[in-house]
């Protein structure tokens, strides 16, 4: 009888250990599945964040291109205005020089006339 009782106790312990191992394996499998789901979700979020960053960079690039174009247009316009002003100043200087030359010529003629009389 002792052998039967010992066998039953040993069998109970074996079954209990097997049940615990099965529960541990199930929990490990569940944890692995949850980890895989979390990794997949994190991967999707990273992919989405990378796509958003790409779009932001493309938008910033377009804005920089437009700003550069506007800056070049402004520089070109300023250059053209400077050239126009320089031409005007050149015309004004030319006119002033001609007027001065005419005045000097008249003064010289007046002086000559006074010397002749």
């Amino acid at each position: 009888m002792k052998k039967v009782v010992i066998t039953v106790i040993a069998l109970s312990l074996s079954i209990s250990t097997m049940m615990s191992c099965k529960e541990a394996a199930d929990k490990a499998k569940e944890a692995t599945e949850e980890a895989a789901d979390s990794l997949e979700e994190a991967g999707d979020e990273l992919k989405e964040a990378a796509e958003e960053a790409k779009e932001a960079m493309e938008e910033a690039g377009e804005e920089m291109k437009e700003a550069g174009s506007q800056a070049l247009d402004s520089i070109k316009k300023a250059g053209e205005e400077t050239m126009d002003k320089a031409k005007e100043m050149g015309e004004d200087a030319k006119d002033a020089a001609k007027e001065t030359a005419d005045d000097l010529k008249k003064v010289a003629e007046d002086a000559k006339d006074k010397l002749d009389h």
Side-chain angles (χ1 to χ4, degrees):
M1 176 88 163
K2 283 185 180 183
K3 286 185 180 182
V4 173
V5 171
I6 292 175
T7 304
V8 169
I9 292 174
L11 188 57
S12 295
L13 285 173
S14 294
I15 291 173
S16 175
T17 303
M18 284 177 47
M19 294 290 277
S20 295
C21 288
K22 185 177 185 311
E23 288 176 10
D26 290 345
K27 287 182 181 179
K29 182 179 177 184
E30 185 179 323
T32 301
E33 289 172 355
E34 287 178 7
D37 290 344
S38 295
L39 285 173
E40 184 177 337
E41 186 176 320
D44 291 343
E45 290 174 1
L46 285 172
K47 183 178 178 182
E48 185 178 324
E51 186 65 31
E52 289 174 2
K54 177 186 167 195
E55 289 172 5
M57 292 295 285
E58 287 173 351
E59 186 176 321
E62 288 297 319
E63 290 174 2
M64 291 297 288
K65 183 179 176 182
E66 185 176 324
S69 178
Q70 289 175 353
L72 287 174
D73 289 345
S74 295
I75 291 169
K76 182 180 177 185
K77 185 177 179 183
E80 289 171 354
E81 289 175 358
T82 301
M83 289 301 294
D84 290 344
K85 289 293 181 185
K87 285 179 184 177
E88 286 177 24
M89 290 174 66
E91 295 283 326
D92 291 346
K94 181 180 172 184
D95 290 344
K98 185 175 187 272
E99 189 176 311
T100 302
D102 289 345
D103 289 345
L104 288 173
K105 187 176 179 183
K106 185 176 181 186
V107 168
E109 286 177 3
D110 289 345
K112 183 179 176 187
D113 285 344
K114 285 184 182 181
L115 287 174
D116 287 341
H117 289 333

